[in-house]
Amino acid sequence: MAVRTDSGVDPAQRALDSVQRYPHDAISIARQVLASPSDAAARSTAERAIGLALRELNDLPGAIRHLRRAVRASADPRLRALARMSLGYVLASSGRTTAALRAVTLALPQLTGADAGRARMQRGVVLHYRGRFDEAVRDYDVAVSIAQRERDPLLEARARNNRGLLNAHLNAHLNGEPGPGPGSDDDLHRAAAIFNRLGLDLAAADARWNSGIAAGQRGDVAGALHCFTAVDAEYRRLAVPRPALLLDRFELLLSVPLIDEAVSVAGTAVTELSRLGMASDLAEALLAQARAALLAGDLATAAETAAAARSRFRRQGRRAWATLARHVELRAAYARGTRTTALLASMVRTADQLDATGWPGPALATRIEAARLAAGLGRQARAVELLRIAALARRRGTAPRRAQGWYALALRHRLAGDEARAVRALRRGLAVLDGHRASLGATELRAHSGAYGQELAAEGLDIVIGHGAPAQVLTWAERWRANALRMRRVSPPADPDLATALTELRMVSAALEDALLAGNPVQALRGSQARLEQRIRELTRGVDGGGELLAPPGAAQLAAALGDAVLLELVAHGERLRAVLVRDGQVTLHDLGSLADAVRTARLHRFGLRRLVTTGDGADARAGVAHTAGALDRQLFDPVRGQLADRPLVVVPIGELHAVAWSGLPSCAGRAVTVTPSATAWLRAADAPVTGSPRPPVLVAGPRLPAAETEVRQLTAVLPDARALTGAAATAERVTEALNGAGLAHIAAHGRFRADNPLFSTLELADGPLTAYELERLTSPPGCVVLSACDSGLAGVRPGDEVMGFTAVLLALGTRCLIATVLPVPADLTTSLMLELHRRMRAGDRPAVALAGAQQAFLAGAAGPVGPDGTAAGHPTGAGHATAAAFVCFGAG
């Protein structure tokens, strides 16, 4: 006899019905059935319920064990077939797709009606895993038809969910269209609605998560991020882990690309899926790790991990996935410098296989690199043919893929000697990427998306430098430099969840700082801080895009705004550092020597200055700083010294040269120097109105810094109409309210630069740290900002010389000028420098002129260090020289 409850409901069936809604309860009920006298049918159903519930909880070995017991427990053909059907599903999840296909195929002849529909759906899942997509879609179609005929809404929802997800993949990777796939969104939305009606919250969450995957695959990054954030909260509410979903998040991160974060997520996925024994997903996680390593330049890890993934895929019978892993191995070999006919043959063969198995994006990248290899080996005709095929991608697909197609066409034209047509193709590709970038609302996403245009911009730059056309070099250098700042800012909507998360982060960070100072345990606080930072990233990344893209300025436009100033824009060209100089409307191009030499010298100069500040003031240290400053000065300025004369200078750095302490170089000492991420950003800031704000200047002193209080108190004598916020009054809310619309703001506080995510760089205030994320929420930017805080002018530099940090945030808001530091600065040495700076600005000097004059006066002792009582404390030491050099004028000074 089957065990029955008083209500007459079979407990084994009730356990099975509870699997997706309450997997823990399902296991408990089923175990009660197995512990009591029951017939074979009930025992088989109970074992099946436990197996499927364990699958929901990611215990695949346990799930397989119980499902095999379910097959053995009953002689009834239908129950054995149902158990085999479920076993096939879990075997596929564990990577044993051959056994899975055999189990489901054995089950099919024994089933009719809705049971047959479930079996067809499960076979579709197995075929989906094996990369046999067309067959999988046919099985899903049959399952939906059977479900509708049999009036089985649960089966219909499951089949629609699977079909919608697969169609989204087919549309993005095979059909190549960037919009929604045929019925994919409709299937997923209808599946979620049915699951909701049935009270299956977890299944509904899975379907909505899949809608996020579909959005990401068609290029809607903001929509996908918004969806993932919402559904992730639902998973936490349901307390059901979904480690395999890390792979979906990885794909989205890589599509931006947020490479460092993708590397981290892939590593976490490998660890978690390995621990849970989820072999199928683990193989995909290893491949994800290899792909991320390839983009990060970790070629040894890319090759090794891709080989391990390929081996697993081959054992699992997943040939399409094995081919995808093979392409990573080959591209890693090419990046490591392998140039052989054998590699060329393998790359061509793999590209063809990728196309045939539904991976056109990787096929395109492999084919373009194969073409470059062929050209390098002297096989011109082969290269042209490979590029002809690759160029077809420019007509369809996601924006990055279309841009790669235009890149392939440009390379083909260059091989044919037609550089004019190559330039036109490169411009078309960059225009496609402009549209893609505009669709990303978040500053972080826009900055990281610069990686996609690097090859196109470098190719165009190489062409125009070869032509010796300085004005065209300037245009191309600007075309893909700091493009996030070329876009009109997208104001984030008022988001109470984000405001709450930022406030909580400030509280936790303040508590963490207190705990560190007191020597108390901080592990729990660090965990809370990391979770809040991830929450803030997710909330800000979901902002919808839009906004106008500013065109790069021409030489005439720049000349009119520069006046008697000279603009020097640095340009990386292969291993060489070049400079475009604009003076009096004339544009000239200069070779400044080795890029590696400039970067190495700049690092040494920066190291020496930091050493003066932090460890001592010996003669050797000062001599070392003077030596590196002279070497860097000669490399950067000797080729253009005659044109610089004694004019004001606007510098557009590249890469690590954004962190140079410019006034510490002999040619810049005493000169009005303004540093800007791009000529376009400089012109935009220069065009900003300079009319006085009706709001008073703002002076802020952060905590745990007595010198800041002194600095603000003495500045009130220079700026008597200023609003001073010190002590407990200097809270984040009051400071940001005061910054809105202020003509001038000065903040003296502890500063901290976060290289891992510059938007989490902070200024310490009374109630905790103020992040760059919070400054993004200002509605009316301050006109000029002075940050008397360590490292406050440092920026994280991403591909395309995209800058991230306080500088980028304030300039994007519309702030005209920012004076900040690129080094740590001793608080007790900055006061006199800041007093002299503000005196000169108050007298009418432009910020860059005022800063140069204040630095010279400080170094001459005329504005020597000031003690707490306001009296001079002597002439500046080596640390004083470093302090003066640390301050840089950004924007349009």
Side-chain angles (χ1 to χ4, degrees), residues 41-71:
R43 297 186 70 80
S44 177
T45 303
E47 292 283 8
R48 184 173 166 227
I50 294 174
L52 291 174
L54 289 174
R55 169 63 186 87
E56 291 296 316
L57 298 172
N58 302 307
D59 180 359
L60 297 188
I64 291 171
R65 187 168 60 252
H66 282 277
L67 289 169
R68 282 181 169 151
R69 290 176 185 171
V71 173

PDB file of all heavy atoms in Angstrom, residues 41-71:
ATOM      1  N   ALA A  41       6.161   1.584  -5.879  1.00  0.00           N
ATOM      2  CA  ALA A  41       5.884   2.820  -6.619  1.00  0.00           C
ATOM      3  C   ALA A  41       6.180   4.045  -5.757  1.00  0.00           C
ATOM      4  O   ALA A  41       6.789   5.028  -6.218  1.00  0.00           O
ATOM      5  CB  ALA A  41       4.431   2.835  -7.091  1.00  0.00           C
ATOM      6  N   ALA A  42       5.753   4.014  -4.506  1.00  0.00           N
ATOM      7  CA  ALA A  42       5.990   5.150  -3.611  1.00  0.00           C
ATOM      8  C   ALA A  42       7.480   5.326  -3.357  1.00  0.00           C
ATOM      9  O   ALA A  42       7.988   6.461  -3.307  1.00  0.00           O
ATOM     10  CB  ALA A  42       5.250   4.945  -2.304  1.00  0.00           C
ATOM     11  N   ARG A  43       8.198   4.196  -3.204  1.00  0.00           N
ATOM     12  CA  ARG A  43       9.628   4.304  -2.929  1.00  0.00           C
ATOM     13  C   ARG A  43      10.363   4.887  -4.147  1.00  0.00           C
ATOM     14  O   ARG A  43      11.285   5.707  -4.007  1.00  0.00           O
ATOM     15  CB  ARG A  43      10.214   2.934  -2.557  1.00  0.00           C
ATOM     16  CG  ARG A  43       9.615   2.355  -1.281  1.00  0.00           C
ATOM     17  CD  ARG A  43      10.316   1.064  -0.858  1.00  0.00           C
ATOM     18  NE  ARG A  43      11.665   1.328  -0.382  1.00  0.00           N
ATOM     19  CZ  ARG A  43      11.957   1.768   0.846  1.00  0.00           C
ATOM     20  NH1 ARG A  43      10.994   1.984   1.723  1.00  0.00           N
ATOM     21  NH2 ARG A  43      13.217   1.992   1.200  1.00  0.00           N
ATOM     22  N   SER A  44       9.964   4.458  -5.327  1.00  0.00           N
ATOM     23  CA  SER A  44      10.592   5.005  -6.532  1.00  0.00           C
ATOM     24  C   SER A  44      10.337   6.511  -6.648  1.00  0.00           C
ATOM     25  O   SER A  44      11.249   7.289  -6.945  1.00  0.00           O
ATOM     26  CB  SER A  44      10.054   4.275  -7.765  1.00  0.00           C
ATOM     27  OG  SER A  44      10.605   4.828  -8.944  1.00  0.00           O
ATOM     28  N   THR A  45       9.100   6.921  -6.397  1.00  0.00           N
ATOM     29  CA  THR A  45       8.756   8.345  -6.485  1.00  0.00           C
ATOM     30  C   THR A  45       9.497   9.144  -5.420  1.00  0.00           C
ATOM     31  O   THR A  45       9.979  10.258  -5.683  1.00  0.00           O
ATOM     32  CB  THR A  45       7.238   8.529  -6.329  1.00  0.00           C
ATOM     33  OG1 THR A  45       6.572   7.766  -7.338  1.00  0.00           O
ATOM     34  CG2 THR A  45       6.851   9.994  -6.453  1.00  0.00           C
ATOM     35  N   ALA A  46       9.609   8.584  -4.198  1.00  0.00           N
ATOM     36  CA  ALA A  46      10.312   9.289  -3.124  1.00  0.00           C
ATOM     37  C   ALA A  46      11.800   9.435  -3.452  1.00  0.00           C
ATOM     38  O   ALA A  46      12.402  10.511  -3.230  1.00  0.00           O
ATOM     39  CB  ALA A  46      10.130   8.544  -1.803  1.00  0.00           C
ATOM     40  N   GLU A  47      12.415   8.361  -3.963  1.00  0.00           N
ATOM     41  CA  GLU A  47      13.829   8.449  -4.338  1.00  0.00           C
ATOM     42  C   GLU A  47      14.018   9.493  -5.451  1.00  0.00           C
ATOM     43  O   GLU A  47      14.991  10.265  -5.448  1.00  0.00           O
ATOM     44  CB  GLU A  47      14.344   7.090  -4.821  1.00  0.00           C
ATOM     45  CG  GLU A  47      14.433   6.023  -3.742  1.00  0.00           C
ATOM     46  CD  GLU A  47      15.646   6.216  -2.827  1.00  0.00           C
ATOM     47  OE1 GLU A  47      16.328   7.251  -2.933  1.00  0.00           O
ATOM     48  OE2 GLU A  47      15.907   5.322  -1.994  1.00  0.00           O
ATOM     49  N   ARG A  48      13.075   9.514  -6.373  1.00  0.00           N
ATOM     50  CA  ARG A  48      13.168  10.501  -7.460  1.00  0.00           C
ATOM     51  C   ARG A  48      13.041  11.924  -6.915  1.00  0.00           C
ATOM     52  O   ARG A  48      13.753  12.838  -7.343  1.00  0.00           O
ATOM     53  CB  ARG A  48      12.073  10.207  -8.494  1.00  0.00           C
ATOM     54  CG  ARG A  48      12.128  11.107  -9.716  1.00  0.00           C
ATOM     55  CD  ARG A  48      11.130  10.655 -10.774  1.00  0.00           C
ATOM     56  NE  ARG A  48      10.935  11.673 -11.778  1.00  0.00           N
ATOM     57  CZ  ARG A  48       9.765  12.080 -12.238  1.00  0.00           C
ATOM     58  NH1 ARG A  48       8.647  11.510 -11.766  1.00  0.00           N
ATOM     59  NH2 ARG A  48       9.689  13.016 -13.150  1.00  0.00           N
ATOM     60  N   ALA A  49      12.137  12.113  -5.959  1.00  0.00           N
ATOM     61  CA  ALA A  49      11.962  13.440  -5.355  1.00  0.00           C
ATOM     62  C   ALA A  49      13.245  13.891  -4.662  1.00  0.00           C
ATOM     63  O   ALA A  49      13.681  15.050  -4.790  1.00  0.00           O
ATOM     64  CB  ALA A  49      10.805  13.423  -4.363  1.00  0.00           C
ATOM     65  N   ILE A  50      13.883  12.972  -3.925  1.00  0.00           N
ATOM     66  CA  ILE A  50      15.131  13.334  -3.243  1.00  0.00           C
ATOM     67  C   ILE A  50      16.206  13.678  -4.269  1.00  0.00           C
ATOM     68  O   ILE A  50      16.946  14.675  -4.130  1.00  0.00           O
ATOM     69  CB  ILE A  50      15.604  12.180  -2.331  1.00  0.00           C
ATOM     70  CG1 ILE A  50      14.617  11.975  -1.177  1.00  0.00           C
ATOM     71  CG2 ILE A  50      17.005  12.465  -1.792  1.00  0.00           C
ATOM     72  CD1 ILE A  50      14.930  10.772  -0.307  1.00  0.00           C
ATOM     73  N   GLY A  51      16.307  12.853  -5.317  1.00  0.00           N
ATOM     74  CA  GLY A  51      17.314  13.110  -6.345  1.00  0.00           C
ATOM     75  C   GLY A  51      17.139  14.470  -6.998  1.00  0.00           C
ATOM     76  O   GLY A  51      18.104  15.232  -7.155  1.00  0.00           O
ATOM     77  N   LEU A  52      15.910  14.823  -7.366  1.00  0.00           N
ATOM     78  CA  LEU A  52      15.672  16.120  -8.016  1.00  0.00           C
ATOM     79  C   LEU A  52      15.854  17.276  -7.043  1.00  0.00           C
ATOM     80  O   LEU A  52      16.327  18.353  -7.429  1.00  0.00           O
ATOM     81  CB  LEU A  52      14.272  16.146  -8.628  1.00  0.00           C
ATOM     82  CG  LEU A  52      14.090  15.221  -9.844  1.00  0.00           C
ATOM     83  CD1 LEU A  52      12.629  15.202 -10.295  1.00  0.00           C
ATOM     84  CD2 LEU A  52      14.992  15.666 -10.996  1.00  0.00           C
ATOM     85  N   ALA A  53      15.493  17.069  -5.789  1.00  0.00           N
ATOM     86  CA  ALA A  53      15.707  18.135  -4.794  1.00  0.00           C
ATOM     87  C   ALA A  53      17.199  18.367  -4.570  1.00  0.00           C
ATOM     88  O   ALA A  53      17.654  19.521  -4.438  1.00  0.00           O
ATOM     89  CB  ALA A  53      15.028  17.776  -3.478  1.00  0.00           C
ATOM     90  N   LEU A  54      17.983  17.292  -4.528  1.00  0.00           N
ATOM     91  CA  LEU A  54      19.426  17.449  -4.380  1.00  0.00           C
ATOM     92  C   LEU A  54      20.021  18.153  -5.599  1.00  0.00           C
ATOM     93  O   LEU A  54      20.987  18.914  -5.477  1.00  0.00           O
ATOM     94  CB  LEU A  54      20.092  16.087  -4.180  1.00  0.00           C
ATOM     95  CG  LEU A  54      19.817  15.419  -2.824  1.00  0.00           C
ATOM     96  CD1 LEU A  54      20.392  14.012  -2.793  1.00  0.00           C
ATOM     97  CD2 LEU A  54      20.402  16.258  -1.679  1.00  0.00           C
ATOM     98  N   ARG A  55      19.438  17.908  -6.775  1.00  0.00           N
ATOM     99  CA  ARG A  55      19.883  18.655  -7.967  1.00  0.00           C
ATOM    100  C   ARG A  55      19.633  20.146  -7.791  1.00  0.00           C
ATOM    101  O   ARG A  55      20.480  20.976  -8.123  1.00  0.00           O
ATOM    102  CB  ARG A  55      19.148  18.147  -9.208  1.00  0.00           C
ATOM    103  CG  ARG A  55      19.330  19.011 -10.456  1.00  0.00           C
ATOM    104  CD  ARG A  55      20.774  19.060 -10.907  1.00  0.00           C
ATOM    105  NE  ARG A  55      20.983  19.967 -12.001  1.00  0.00           N
ATOM    106  CZ  ARG A  55      21.232  21.272 -11.894  1.00  0.00           C
ATOM    107  NH1 ARG A  55      21.282  21.815 -10.687  1.00  0.00           N
ATOM    108  NH2 ARG A  55      21.448  22.018 -12.944  1.00  0.00           N
ATOM    109  N   GLU A  56      18.484  20.500  -7.237  1.00  0.00           N
ATOM    110  CA  GLU A  56      18.194  21.921  -6.991  1.00  0.00           C
ATOM    111  C   GLU A  56      19.200  22.522  -6.011  1.00  0.00           C
ATOM    112  O   GLU A  56      19.526  23.701  -6.104  1.00  0.00           O
ATOM    113  CB  GLU A  56      16.779  22.090  -6.428  1.00  0.00           C
ATOM    114  CG  GLU A  56      15.657  21.774  -7.410  1.00  0.00           C
ATOM    115  CD  GLU A  56      15.641  22.737  -8.588  1.00  0.00           C
ATOM    116  OE1 GLU A  56      15.786  23.953  -8.361  1.00  0.00           O
ATOM    117  OE2 GLU A  56      15.503  22.273  -9.732  1.00  0.00           O
ATOM    118  N   LEU A  57      19.683  21.682  -5.093  1.00  0.00           N
ATOM    119  CA  LEU A  57      20.628  22.159  -4.078  1.00  0.00           C
ATOM    120  C   LEU A  57      22.075  21.919  -4.487  1.00  0.00           C
ATOM    121  O   LEU A  57      22.983  22.063  -3.679  1.00  0.00           O
ATOM    122  CB  LEU A  57      20.332  21.469  -2.737  1.00  0.00           C
ATOM    123  CG  LEU A  57      18.935  21.763  -2.175  1.00  0.00           C
ATOM    124  CD1 LEU A  57      18.664  20.894  -0.958  1.00  0.00           C
ATOM    125  CD2 LEU A  57      18.797  23.239  -1.825  1.00  0.00           C
ATOM    126  N   ASN A  58      22.286  21.527  -5.770  1.00  0.00           N
ATOM    127  CA  ASN A  58      23.618  21.399  -6.370  1.00  0.00           C
ATOM    128  C   ASN A  58      24.438  20.223  -5.841  1.00  0.00           C
ATOM    129  O   ASN A  58      25.661  20.210  -5.992  1.00  0.00           O
ATOM    130  CB  ASN A  58      24.415  22.697  -6.183  1.00  0.00           C
ATOM    131  CG  ASN A  58      23.719  23.879  -6.790  1.00  0.00           C
ATOM    132  OD1 ASN A  58      23.360  23.858  -7.958  1.00  0.00           O
ATOM    133  ND2 ASN A  58      23.489  24.905  -5.985  1.00  0.00           N
ATOM    134  N   ASP A  59      23.771  19.212  -5.243  1.00  0.00           N
ATOM    135  CA  ASP A  59      24.475  18.003  -4.829  1.00  0.00           C
ATOM    136  C   ASP A  59      24.278  16.957  -5.936  1.00  0.00           C
ATOM    137  O   ASP A  59      23.398  16.090  -5.852  1.00  0.00           O
ATOM    138  CB  ASP A  59      23.919  17.504  -3.495  1.00  0.00           C
ATOM    139  CG  ASP A  59      24.627  16.239  -3.007  1.00  0.00           C
ATOM    140  OD1 ASP A  59      25.532  15.740  -3.698  1.00  0.00           O
ATOM    141  OD2 ASP A  59      24.253  15.738  -1.921  1.00  0.00           O
ATOM    142  N   LEU A  60      25.099  17.036  -6.984  1.00  0.00           N
ATOM    143  CA  LEU A  60      24.892  16.154  -8.141  1.00  0.00           C
ATOM    144  C   LEU A  60      25.227  14.692  -7.850  1.00  0.00           C
ATOM    145  O   LEU A  60      24.473  13.806  -8.264  1.00  0.00           O
ATOM    146  CB  LEU A  60      25.707  16.667  -9.334  1.00  0.00           C
ATOM    147  CG  LEU A  60      25.326  18.061  -9.858  1.00  0.00           C
ATOM    148  CD1 LEU A  60      26.070  18.348 -11.143  1.00  0.00           C
ATOM    149  CD2 LEU A  60      23.840  18.169 -10.086  1.00  0.00           C
ATOM    150  N   PRO A  61      26.315  14.381  -7.154  1.00  0.00           N
ATOM    151  CA  PRO A  61      26.561  12.960  -6.861  1.00  0.00           C
ATOM    152  C   PRO A  61      25.416  12.328  -6.063  1.00  0.00           C
ATOM    153  O   PRO A  61      24.985  11.213  -6.347  1.00  0.00           O
ATOM    154  CB  PRO A  61      27.861  12.985  -6.054  1.00  0.00           C
ATOM    155  CG  PRO A  61      28.548  14.248  -6.478  1.00  0.00           C
ATOM    156  CD  PRO A  61      27.448  15.226  -6.707  1.00  0.00           C
ATOM    157  N   GLY A  62      24.921  13.076  -5.052  1.00  0.00           N
ATOM    158  CA  GLY A  62      23.783  12.554  -4.284  1.00  0.00           C
ATOM    159  C   GLY A  62      22.548  12.408  -5.140  1.00  0.00           C
ATOM    160  O   GLY A  62      21.787  11.432  -5.011  1.00  0.00           O
ATOM    161  N   ALA A  63      22.322  13.363  -6.041  1.00  0.00           N
ATOM    162  CA  ALA A  63      21.154  13.289  -6.922  1.00  0.00           C
ATOM    163  C   ALA A  63      21.217  12.052  -7.805  1.00  0.00           C
ATOM    164  O   ALA A  63      20.219  11.315  -7.953  1.00  0.00           O
ATOM    165  CB  ALA A  63      21.082  14.554  -7.777  1.00  0.00           C
ATOM    166  N   ILE A  64      22.375  11.782  -8.398  1.00  0.00           N
ATOM    167  CA  ILE A  64      22.523  10.615  -9.274  1.00  0.00           C
ATOM    168  C   ILE A  64      22.306   9.331  -8.483  1.00  0.00           C
ATOM    169  O   ILE A  64      21.629   8.389  -8.954  1.00  0.00           O
ATOM    170  CB  ILE A  64      23.911  10.636  -9.946  1.00  0.00           C
ATOM    171  CG1 ILE A  64      23.998  11.796 -10.949  1.00  0.00           C
ATOM    172  CG2 ILE A  64      24.199   9.301 -10.633  1.00  0.00           C
ATOM    173  CD1 ILE A  64      25.394  12.032 -11.496  1.00  0.00           C
ATOM    174  N   ARG A  65      22.846   9.263  -7.289  1.00  0.00           N
ATOM    175  CA  ARG A  65      22.700   8.064  -6.466  1.00  0.00           C
ATOM    176  C   ARG A  65      21.223   7.752  -6.200  1.00  0.00           C
ATOM    177  O   ARG A  65      20.762   6.618  -6.358  1.00  0.00           O
ATOM    178  CB  ARG A  65      23.461   8.261  -5.159  1.00  0.00           C
ATOM    179  CG  ARG A  65      23.522   7.031  -4.274  1.00  0.00           C
ATOM    180  CD  ARG A  65      24.530   7.211  -3.150  1.00  0.00           C
ATOM    181  NE  ARG A  65      24.210   8.342  -2.285  1.00  0.00           N
ATOM    182  CZ  ARG A  65      24.897   9.475  -2.267  1.00  0.00           C
ATOM    183  NH1 ARG A  65      25.944   9.635  -3.070  1.00  0.00           N
ATOM    184  NH2 ARG A  65      24.556  10.464  -1.446  1.00  0.00           N
ATOM    185  N   HIS A  66      20.444   8.764  -5.811  1.00  0.00           N
ATOM    186  CA  HIS A  66      19.029   8.534  -5.491  1.00  0.00           C
ATOM    187  C   HIS A  66      18.200   8.271  -6.753  1.00  0.00           C
ATOM    188  O   HIS A  66      17.235   7.483  -6.710  1.00  0.00           O
ATOM    189  CB  HIS A  66      18.475   9.740  -4.733  1.00  0.00           C
ATOM    190  CG  HIS A  66      18.883   9.757  -3.284  1.00  0.00           C
ATOM    191  ND1 HIS A  66      18.219   9.036  -2.312  1.00  0.00           N
ATOM    192  CD2 HIS A  66      19.916  10.377  -2.651  1.00  0.00           C
ATOM    193  CE1 HIS A  66      18.811   9.223  -1.138  1.00  0.00           C
ATOM    194  NE2 HIS A  66      19.842  10.036  -1.317  1.00  0.00           N
ATOM    195  N   LEU A  67      18.546   8.877  -7.864  1.00  0.00           N
ATOM    196  CA  LEU A  67      17.778   8.637  -9.093  1.00  0.00           C
ATOM    197  C   LEU A  67      18.028   7.223  -9.623  1.00  0.00           C
ATOM    198  O   LEU A  67      17.118   6.600 -10.192  1.00  0.00           O
ATOM    199  CB  LEU A  67      18.117   9.696 -10.141  1.00  0.00           C
ATOM    200  CG  LEU A  67      17.562  11.100  -9.812  1.00  0.00           C
ATOM    201  CD1 LEU A  67      18.157  12.153 -10.728  1.00  0.00           C
ATOM    202  CD2 LEU A  67      16.035  11.111  -9.908  1.00  0.00           C
ATOM    203  N   ARG A  68      19.219   6.711  -9.443  1.00  0.00           N
ATOM    204  CA  ARG A  68      19.468   5.316  -9.837  1.00  0.00           C
ATOM    205  C   ARG A  68      18.684   4.364  -8.944  1.00  0.00           C
ATOM    206  O   ARG A  68      18.174   3.333  -9.405  1.00  0.00           O
ATOM    207  CB  ARG A  68      20.962   5.029  -9.777  1.00  0.00           C
ATOM    208  CG  ARG A  68      21.694   5.596 -11.001  1.00  0.00           C
ATOM    209  CD  ARG A  68      23.168   5.306 -10.985  1.00  0.00           C
ATOM    210  NE  ARG A  68      23.766   5.640 -12.276  1.00  0.00           N
ATOM    211  CZ  ARG A  68      25.025   6.026 -12.443  1.00  0.00           C
ATOM    212  NH1 ARG A  68      25.822   6.096 -11.382  1.00  0.00           N
ATOM    213  NH2 ARG A  68      25.488   6.309 -13.642  1.00  0.00           N
ATOM    214  N   ARG A  69      18.573   4.726  -7.669  1.00  0.00           N
ATOM    215  CA  ARG A  69      17.722   3.921  -6.784  1.00  0.00           C
ATOM    216  C   ARG A  69      16.273   3.980  -7.241  1.00  0.00           C
ATOM    217  O   ARG A  69      15.539   2.977  -7.159  1.00  0.00           O
ATOM    218  CB  ARG A  69      17.824   4.436  -5.353  1.00  0.00           C
ATOM    219  CG  ARG A  69      19.166   4.168  -4.676  1.00  0.00           C
ATOM    220  CD  ARG A  69      19.194   4.806  -3.294  1.00  0.00           C
ATOM    221  NE  ARG A  69      20.500   4.684  -2.659  1.00  0.00           N
ATOM    222  CZ  ARG A  69      20.841   5.295  -1.531  1.00  0.00           C
ATOM    223  NH1 ARG A  69      19.955   6.081  -0.916  1.00  0.00           N
ATOM    224  NH2 ARG A  69      22.047   5.137  -1.010  1.00  0.00           N
ATOM    225  N   ALA A  70      15.862   5.155  -7.730  1.00  0.00           N
ATOM    226  CA  ALA A  70      14.484   5.294  -8.205  1.00  0.00           C
ATOM    227  C   ALA A  70      14.226   4.377  -9.397  1.00  0.00           C
ATOM    228  O   ALA A  70      13.150   3.780  -9.517  1.00  0.00           O
ATOM    229  CB  ALA A  70      14.205   6.748  -8.593  1.00  0.00           C
ATOM    230  N   VAL A  71      15.217   4.261 -10.294  1.00  0.00           N
ATOM    231  CA  VAL A  71      15.065   3.363 -11.453  1.00  0.00           C
ATOM    232  C   VAL A  71      14.932   1.921 -10.985  1.00  0.00           C
ATOM    233  O   VAL A  71      14.088   1.152 -11.479  1.00  0.00           O
ATOM    234  CB  VAL A  71      16.271   3.518 -12.411  1.00  0.00           C
ATOM    235  CG1 VAL A  71      16.199   2.463 -13.523  1.00  0.00           C
ATOM    236  CG2 VAL A  71      16.311   4.923 -13.003  1.00  0.00           C
TER     237      VAL A  71
END
